[in-house]
Amino acid sequence: MKKTGTIIWLSMVVVFIISTAFISFQSNPVQNPNPEEGFAIPEDVNQIFEKSCFGCHNVEASSDKAKKKLLIDQLGDLSIAKLVGKLGAIEEALEEKEMPPEKFLDKYPDKALTDGETKRLMEWASKTAEDLMK
Amino acid sequence: MKKILKILLVFFLSAFVIIQLFPSSRPDNQPVSGQDIFEKHEIPLEVGTIIKNACYDCHSQSVKYPWYSYVAPVSWLVARDVNRGRVHLDFGKWGELSKRDQIKVLGEIAEEVEDKNMPMQIYVNMHSAADLTEEQRELIVIWSEKLAEKILEN
């Protein structure tokens, strides 16, 4: 009896842990980070970010891992060198189809990027980085 | 009971011998003259020592393979890690990267080292010199940030 209790208890803990991986998505509007410093995300790019990326990659999101990798609403606070690096990392993650993660898309298939959206984000990241290097 | 143990022992021993027949794709070193990061940038001695001790056995064209990396199944793991490591960062082919990619990689180095994702624990277990102190990690982070700034300016 005690054993059954432990098993039930344990499986509840496991289910809870697994479910936290899925409930982290929230949709907040993207604000142009620090427009006064000259870094603004174009509206169409912003919309794509908002749809597929911002839910995890914003300061108030719950996934520490995602936040550590990228905070879209804080890009404007980075030094130019770091910003260039981040834009490169964004481009790479999109090119390798690492982002958005498969597990996340299983849960929210409507958040998937179309090929056109991926291309637009990559173009933007690449061009912005190049301009920053001039 | 004794018999089972004996059977198990024979089983594992023969499995060990058989897996030696499956070669690993342990990649060779193919240094390209003039392309290594040490040939491209002046790297402070202390930072250079850390990079050589803690990074170069996967992220370079100067990988030193220990004897056990020739024995399966370890050889498979080593081959996988070196192959993967070089895809993300190859200090031996640093000069082949665009400036933008160099800056990106330096950002990744700072993140991975700061977050203690690198060097990998399994590597540190076998290479005590790769067991970085907080101060050493800090040195790498500052160095990579400075170098990124420098590359940006030039």
Side-chain angles (χ1 to χ4, degrees):
Chain A
M1 195 51 215
K2 216 175 167 190
K3 206 172 162 191
T4 323
T6 318
I7 292 172
I8 292 173
W9 173 237
L10 266 179
S11 37
M12 277 165 69
V13 172
V14 171
V15 168
F16 174 72
I17 291 170
I18 293 171
S19 58
T20 54
F22 293 104
I23 55 170
S24 57
F25 192 80
Q26 38 178 279
S27 187
N28 291 344
V30 178
Q31 286 130 24
N32 273 349
N34 292 354
E36 70 275 10
E37 282 175 30
F39 181 78
I41 302 174
E43 192 45 44
D44 63 324
V45 173
N46 215 354
Q47 275 174 13
I48 305 171
F49 270 143
E50 226 174 286
K51 181 187 110 184
S52 302
C53 322
F54 190 72
C56 297
H57 293 290
N58 79 85
V59 242
E60 279 166 19
S62 53
S63 159
D64 286 336
K65 197 176 159 199
K67 284 160 72 174
K68 227 166 201 176
K69 285 277 175 198
L70 169 67
L71 289 171
I72 296 169
D73 46 354
Q74 304 270 296
L75 280 175
D77 293 344
L78 298 176
S79 69
I80 307 266
K82 288 209 165 162
L83 183 52
V84 169
K86 272 296 157 215
L87 289 164
I90 291 173
E91 214 185 325
E92 190 177 87
L94 290 167
E95 178 151 33
E96 309 285 332
K97 306 243 179 256
E98 284 168 6
M99 283 291 142
E102 245 175 74
K103 263 192 202 162
F104 168 74
L105 292 178
D106 286 345
K107 182 89 177 163
Y108 303 98
D110 55 318
K111 306 277 184 194
L113 292 167
T114 65
D115 287 349
E117 287 168 338
T118 305
K119 200 173 149 229
R120 174 70 185 113
L121 286 185
M122 285 175 66
E123 267 172 14
W124 167 77
S126 168
K127 169 132 196 343
T128 309
E130 248 156 54
D131 289 347
L132 288 167
M133 299 222 25
K134 277 176 193 160
Chain B
M1 192 57 205
K2 235 180 164 181
K3 204 174 161 193
I4 298 177
L5 275 179
K6 211 170 153 189
I7 292 171
L8 274 177
L9 187 70
V10 171
F11 174 78
F12 280 112
L13 271 179
S14 31
F16 179 75
V17 171
I18 290 166
I19 62 173
Q20 303 310 318
L21 302 174
F22 295 89
S24 71
S25 52
R26 196 180 38 249
D28 290 331
N29 287 315
Q30 292 174 326
V32 191
S33 175
Q35 300 299 315
D36 193 280
I37 192 167
F38 282 85
E39 294 171 272
K40 288 282 170 192
H41 300 286
E42 225 172 276
I43 298 177
L45 188 65
E46 228 175 317
V47 172
T49 309
I50 300 171
I51 293 178
K52 288 259 161 105
N53 283 339
C55 320
Y56 254 51
D57 273 343
C58 288
H59 296 291
S60 80
Q61 296 295 326
S62 323
V63 175
K64 290 196 285 284
Y65 289 113
W67 65 266
Y68 51 80
S69 72
Y70 292 86
V71 184
V74 179
S75 56
W76 302 341
L77 288 178
V78 172
R80 189 197 62 177
D81 289 345
V82 175
N83 278 318
R84 279 193 189 168
R86 283 178 176 167
V87 170
H88 288 286
L89 161 64
D90 187 343
F91 281 123
K93 295 188 173 170
W94 184 257
E96 293 176 7
L97 295 177
S98 69
K99 281 188 181 185
R100 257 182 66 195
D101 280 339
Q102 290 176 343
I103 292 174
K104 183 199 76 189
V105 170
L106 286 164
E108 287 170 344
I109 292 172
E111 276 181 18
E112 295 295 312
V113 172
E114 187 165 31
D115 295 347
K116 303 192 176 155
N117 296 328
M118 283 287 147
M120 289 163 68
Q121 191 55 47
I122 193 170
Y123 178 76
V124 175
N125 291 343
M126 303 305 287
H127 301 79
S128 53
D131 191 5
L132 304 184
T133 63
E134 288 297 328
E135 290 74 27
Q136 287 176 313
R137 288 184 189 275
E138 182 79 18
L139 269 180
I140 293 292
V141 171
I142 294 171
W143 164 77
S144 57
E145 285 171 356
K146 272 194 185 157
L147 183 54
E149 300 282 348
K150 206 172 133 191
I151 292 171
L152 185 73
E153 281 162 23
N154 289 326

